[in-house]
Amino acid sequence: MQMKRFDTINVIPLIDVMLVLLAIVLTTASFIVKDNLKIDLPKTEHTETYVPPKEQPPLKFNVDADNQLFMDDKAFDYASLEAHLSTLESDQPIVIQVDRKAHFESFVKLVDALKQYQLNNLSILTQAE
């Protein structure tokens, strides 16, 4: 009995498997990138797309609907905020996200603390309508 010579390989099933794996990776990656905090940003008509600087990662401040302050997704109070802000360089990029239901006073208090330490490289995020 002579064996049949195996000259070619069918790559179609391999491509199907790779496409399924790619779909799984892309689906799970979109869940990982989502914010842990539920911040409902105010809507604006003339919003530009925010692109974070590549040379220095921005420090992120969030104020949720309950007026709770978060720094890089960790709860923070205003008393310890000023001690941390005093250690930052004045060119540190800062991103601020404030929930639309938060009190304006919370936003003003945060910006005032940043201005006290000459941290003026601010980006305030909104959502396009």
Side-chain angles (χ1 to χ4, degrees):
M1 178 159 104
Q2 186 174 357
M3 293 187 100
K4 185 177 174 184
R5 189 169 171 194
F6 189 64
D7 286 338
T8 61
I9 185 168
N10 187 0
V11 295
I12 302 297
L14 179 63
I15 292 172
D16 291 343
V17 169
M18 294 304 292
L19 287 174
V20 168
L21 290 174
L22 178 64
I24 291 170
V25 167
L26 291 177
T27 302
T28 56
S30 69
F31 288 121
I32 292 171
V33 172
K34 280 201 164 220
D35 282 339
N36 296 338
L37 302 173
K38 302 295 184 215
I39 304 289
D40 187 19
L41 294 175
K43 295 185 188 306
T44 56
E45 290 183 25
H46 305 289
T47 281
E48 295 178 20
T49 303
Y50 173 71
V51 179
K54 294 178 181 167
E55 61 275 353
Q56 189 174 14
L59 185 61
K60 296 178 186 171
F61 287 102
N62 300 306
V63 178
D64 67 3
D66 299 324
N67 298 303
Q68 175 68 41
L69 175 67
F70 294 87
M71 184 174 69
D72 288 332
D73 297 333
K74 295 177 187 158
F76 228 77
D77 61 348
Y78 286 96
S80 56
L81 173 68
E82 293 195 15
H84 183 75
L85 293 179
S86 64
T87 64
L88 298 176
E89 298 289 325
S90 63
D91 63 340
Q92 170 69 44
I94 295 173
V95 173
I96 299 175
Q97 296 184 68
V98 179
D99 192 285
R100 68 172 56 197
K101 295 178 183 168
H103 295 137
F104 186 65
E105 181 182 8
S106 300
F107 171 72
V108 171
K109 199 173 186 181
L110 174 59
V111 172
D112 188 49
L114 294 169
K115 294 289 185 177
Q116 179 182 351
Y117 295 98
Q118 286 78 39
L119 297 166
N120 299 320
N121 192 0
L122 305 177
S123 296
I124 300 169
L125 300 187
T126 60
Q127 185 176 19
E129 282 193 47

